[in-house]
Amino acid sequence: MKASDFGPDFLWGIAVAAAQVEGAALEGGKGLSIWDTFAARSGKIKKAAVPSVACDFYHRYKEDITAVKFLGFKIFRFSIAWSRVLPAGRGLPNQDGLGFYHRVIDECLQQCLVPYITLYHWDLPDALEQEGGWTAFSINEAFNNFVKLCAVEYGYKVKHWIVLNEPFGYTSLGYMLGMHAPGKTGLNNFFAAVHHTALAQADGGRILRSEVSKAHIGTTYSCSKILPHTNSPNDELVARRIDCLMNRLFIEPALGLGYPTADWELLERFNVRFATWRLTARMRFDFDFIGLQNYFPLTVKYNPLIPVIQAWEVKAKNRKRPHTGMGWEVSGLHFAGIIRQFAAYENMPPIMISENGAAYHDKLISGRVHDDERVAFFKEYLAALLELKNEGLNISGYLVWTLMDNFEWAEGYQARFGLMYTDFKTRERFMKDSGHWWKDFLAS
Ligand code: NOJ
């Protein structure tokens, strides 16, 4: 398999996110984000890690963008920390913060890399969380003003925009399960956050369309093929529920279909409560591309003891399936399966794989990391992707997650996803074998 097998127009890139790499949590006038405060107080992050220095991308962005170029990628995807440009979440912009992203963008352009900006990659300004964050009605106006600020500030030089990163990720982990910032729990918080998020993704798209000439606008979704453990009716029922939650909850409103209420009566109750049928039109936006981010399939079985969803994950290691250092099942087959599922929607925009990668227990030995498992992971997923392309699916590109080991949310610095190994004492980066593999692959 060669990169050229994907065709001359296929887009190859690599992604990072502000809270995971930047550090400089209080430098240059930045306000605190919910990840700064959650890390400091929640006790829920491995080894009590905090993102205040992270990879120090804030000071090392030139070196990192040079590495992207060296590897041969064409796209560099990064996110804007809302609290860096608007320390209080709204109101007066912070000129220093705005300047930082100008420098990042200019460095990309100078190195002939195409910048893709993610507007929201999970790091809400803490000041807005004080108002209720994504559960509060007021979030939509604040988000829209933030989008407008960025569009006006950078839109004349950046044409590729991603409104949200994995809305199911932050609404479920952050507002239902309490495992991520801001650490809220319960269905009421979750559904309120979901609804304001579904409005934000479409409003954000519309603002970009009106403020940025020739904009190419997308948004991203996490997705996982959901497999019932057996073909018992109960296992199949809970697999359908989890599919509604994990795969359908945000794409369907964006496509103008509203929430997938017909397949789960709980969602219908929520639909009535928020009177969302009246907002179906506002939740729709014709995106130019949809970013899909897949890491693993999920096998679920019925368990009546689990409240509400009544589903239980059957872990890959218990089924003796190959898995990554995170315990996530490795399956190119089901990667292809879930992309086919999304591609089957009528009026589905072109798909970009906006994140894919794997964490393993890498060891740095004499400056080298021999991460053969990660190379095997990429080969398997890319071969599956090539098959889909050859079937004629409209897939425009693929972005690796991620450039360097970074702050992996509740995993702290324990999960290493990078093509470069980060020494978190010195912040020195070391190219892993997988990085060298990508360099050769992209040249092929
Ligand atoms: C999805 C998220 O967008 C990203 O921030 C995270 O690090 C990766 N998945 C790996 O978990």
Side-chain angles (χ1 to χ4, degrees):
M1 185 181 39
K2 299 195 194 99
S4 55
D5 295 340
F6 289 75
D9 300 328
F10 197 76
L11 303 164
W12 297 100
I14 196 156
V16 300
Q20 296 181 270
V21 298
E22 282 180 10
L26 283 171
E27 248 179 275
K30 180 179 165 294
L32 292 173
S33 85
I34 53 174
W35 275 95
D36 296 318
T37 53
F38 181 76
R41 71 167 156 75
S42 71
K44 292 203 177 148
I45 299 189
K46 284 203 180 142
K47 304 210 169 169
V50 293
S52 54
V53 181
C55 304
D56 198 25
F57 175 80
Y58 185 76
H59 296 109
R60 296 172 186 246
Y61 66 93
K62 281 194 185 181
E63 173 195 332
D64 290 332
I65 292 170
T66 303
V68 175
K69 183 73 186 173
F70 166 82
L71 288 167
F73 292 105
K74 293 282 178 301
I75 291 174
F76 183 52
R77 174 186 168 200
F78 60 93
S79 74
I80 293 186
W82 187 343
S83 65
R84 194 176 290 292
V85 296
L86 288 167
R90 57 171 89 235
L92 271 190
N94 169 30
Q95 294 304 326
D96 260 17
L98 288 172
F100 171 65
Y101 297 106
H102 274 299
R103 295 196 292 281
V104 171
I105 293 164
D106 293 347
E107 188 63 31
C108 288
L109 298 177
Q110 222 174 352
Q111 303 222 27
C112 293
L113 293 169
V114 181
Y116 272 57
I117 289 187
T118 311
L119 283 165
Y120 186 71
H121 202 127
W122 303 2
D123 46 352
L124 189 72
D126 193 61
L128 293 177
E129 188 52 41
Q130 305 309 318
E131 298 173 15
W134 285 100
T135 67
F137 181 70
S138 56
I139 193 72
N140 284 105
E141 198 207 351
F143 181 72
N144 290 353
N145 288 335
F146 163 60
V147 176
K148 181 154 181 197
L149 170 73
C150 296
V152 170
E153 186 74 29
Y154 306 119
Y156 69 98
K157 39 190 187 185
V158 177
K159 298 297 167 190
H160 306 275
W161 294 81
I162 289 170
V163 179
L164 300 176
N165 180 70
E166 294 196 356
F168 179 70
Y170 71 84
T171 53
S172 63
L173 296 165
Y175 288 91
M176 177 166 62
L177 301 171
M179 291 155 64
H180 276 193
K184 286 190 168 146
T185 52
L187 283 184
N188 285 341
N189 283 326
F190 173 61
F191 281 133
V194 165
H195 190 49
H196 297 132
T197 292
L199 294 171
Q201 70 174 354
D203 285 353
R206 275 185 289 273
I207 293 166
L208 290 165
R209 185 74 78 220
S210 76
E211 300 296 334
V212 181
S213 72
K214 303 206 179 76
H216 178 233
I217 306 167
T219 198
T220 72
Y221 302 114
S222 49
C223 59
S224 281
K225 186 81 194 160
I226 308 298
L227 306 158
H229 187 47
T230 68
N231 56 9
S232 75
N234 276 340
D235 283 0
E236 285 185 358
L237 171 82
V238 296
R240 237 183 352 265
R241 280 184 188 160
I242 300 293
D243 189 43
C244 284
L245 275 179
M246 292 184 63
N247 297 318
R248 301 174 54 193
L249 198 56
F250 292 98
I251 179 80
E252 295 195 6
L255 292 174
L257 303 170
Y259 294 110
T261 53
D263 281 321
W264 191 6
E265 64 295 344
L266 180 86
L267 294 177
E268 181 54 30
R269 290 218 305 274
F270 143 71
N271 195 33
V272 171
R273 177 153 139 240
F274 284 90
T276 60
W277 66 90
R278 282 192 262 128
L279 295 167
T280 303
R282 183 172 156 204
M283 292 192 294
R284 173 178 178 171
F285 179 73
D286 292 328
F287 284 102
D288 301 320
F289 68 99
I290 291 294
L292 294 183
Q293 320 199 144
N294 172 264
Y295 290 87
F296 51 84
L298 207 65
T299 299
V300 294
K301 72 189 249 191
Y302 176 69
N303 181 338
L305 300 177
I306 307 292
V308 189
I309 54 171
Q310 300 179 302
W312 187 250
E313 180 190 350
V314 190
K315 296 237 192 261
K317 68 171 185 290
N318 299 335
R319 289 180 300 112
K320 307 209 167 14
R321 291 280 306 143
H323 51 272
T324 68
M326 306 272 283
W328 294 353
E329 181 169 345
V330 175
S331 171
L333 178 73
H334 296 308
F335 170 57
I338 191 62
I339 296 168
R340 275 199 197 91
Q341 180 176 321
F342 274 76
Y345 283 112
E346 222 177 295
N347 305 326
M348 180 70 183
I351 291 170
M352 164 176 267
I353 306 304
S354 43
E355 274 187 26
N356 176 241
Y360 288 101
H361 303 294
D362 299 326
K363 292 272 168 301
L364 181 69
I365 301 165
S366 317
R368 300 289 304 268
V369 176
H370 300 302
D371 55 341
D372 304 348
E373 288 172 299
R374 185 173 287 105
V375 173
F377 175 97
F378 283 125
K379 284 185 180 162
E380 178 172 340
Y381 279 63
L382 290 174
L385 190 63
L386 184 56
E387 244 180 77
L388 295 178
K389 276 237 32 143
N390 292 339
E391 276 171 31
L393 262 64
N394 194 351
I395 302 171
S396 58
Y398 175 98
L399 312 185
V400 172
W401 185 265
T402 182
L403 183 59
M404 62 214 149
D405 302 335
N406 59 33
F407 178 73
E408 174 59 25
W409 312 116
E411 299 296 312
Y413 296 102
Q414 303 308 305
R416 294 180 174 274
F417 277 89
L419 297 190
M420 293 195 293
Y421 182 98
T422 309
D423 176 334
F424 288 105
K425 288 201 183 80
T426 61
R427 262 84 205 176
E428 206 181 332
R429 289 90 159 107
F430 298 87
M431 194 60 74
K432 300 179 188 175
D433 285 0
S434 57
H436 293 293
W437 180 84
W438 266 101
K439 184 170 165 49
D440 293 343
F441 174 72
L442 291 174
S444 68

